[in-house]
Amino acid sequence: MRLKGKKVISLVHHDFEDLELWYPILRLREEGAIVELAGEKAGETYIGKYGVPADADFAFGDVDASQYDAILVPGGWAPDKLRRFPEVLEMVQHMEQEKKPIGQICHAGWVLVSAKVLNGKKVTTTPGIKDDMENAGAEWIDEPVVVDGHLVSSRRPPDLPDYMREFIAVLEGK
């Protein structure tokens, strides 16, 4: 129970990558963290790319980011939707300003691009959005996980064990 008392908000929208949403949530809960989901609408069921559901506990606009110790942004096609909500970008910007852990995997980097928090950061993502990350001012590194201070990034589902090992360590240190 290394993370007992820690609160994490995870973002969700339709077409999230099932493993990239659920594996981090379950690992954090195993370590004692409270993980809640925020979606466009509270109580809505969002369906992942492979059919796994996830229910939003809160609507984006109802989340007070200051009440959380970290944020998780899943991959899949959901990030292209998530980045369109000003409340999502504000949550990410708050976490950046407060130097609280931000976890992003695969296409989740798009949300950080839109939040304008990547300039000068070292990150990894799925190779398909490498140019987007570099154009936002980040240094893109092709590794399973890259930690740059409070920002923990990863490429794809096979990298999830490395991603969560590092994310948990960063969150534990906060």
Side-chain angles (χ1 to χ4, degrees), residues 98-120:
E98 297 297 318
K99 304 299 181 218
K100 292 181 179 180
I102 299 170
Q104 66 102 36
I105 185 168
C106 197
H107 286 83
W110 278 338
V111 175
L112 280 68
V113 167
S114 293
K116 297 179 177 29
V117 299
L118 289 175
N119 194 38

Side-chain angles (χ1 to χ4, degrees), residues 84-131:
R84 301 172 196 192
F85 294 93
E87 303 93 340
V88 166
L89 303 182
E90 289 167 10
M91 278 187 261
V92 171
Q93 290 164 347
H94 172 82
M95 295 300 185
E96 173 62 23
Q97 289 165 359
E98 297 297 318
K99 304 299 181 218
K100 292 181 179 180
I102 299 170
Q104 66 102 36
I105 185 168
C106 197
H107 286 83
W110 278 338
V111 175
L112 280 68
V113 167
S114 293
K116 297 179 177 29
V117 299
L118 289 175
N119 194 38
K121 302 281 187 185
K122 292 180 178 154
V123 298
T124 194
T125 61
T126 181
I129 65 168
K130 173 186 175 188
D131 292 347

Side-chain angles (χ1 to χ4, degrees), residues 66-94:
S66 70
Q67 300 300 306
Y68 293 90
D69 299 297
I71 191 167
L72 286 171
V73 187
W77 302 121
D80 190 37
K81 296 174 183 112
L82 292 169
R83 70 193 298 184
R84 301 172 196 192
F85 294 93
E87 303 93 340
V88 166
L89 303 182
E90 289 167 10
M91 278 187 261
V92 171
Q93 290 164 347
H94 172 82

Side-chain angles (χ1 to χ4, degrees), residues 133-144:
M133 305 305 281
E134 290 177 340
N135 288 335
E139 177 185 344
W140 188 86
I141 302 167
D142 189 12
E143 294 287 335

Side-chain angles (χ1 to χ4, degrees), residues 1-2 14 16 18 24 36 42 49 53 66 75 107 112 135 151-152 154 159:
M1 298 302 243
R2 296 163 45 194
H14 292 294
F16 60 86
D18 304 58
E36 298 173 325
K49 286 171 49 177
S66 70
H107 286 83
L112 280 68
N135 288 335
L151 176 59
V152 183
S154 194
D159 301 327

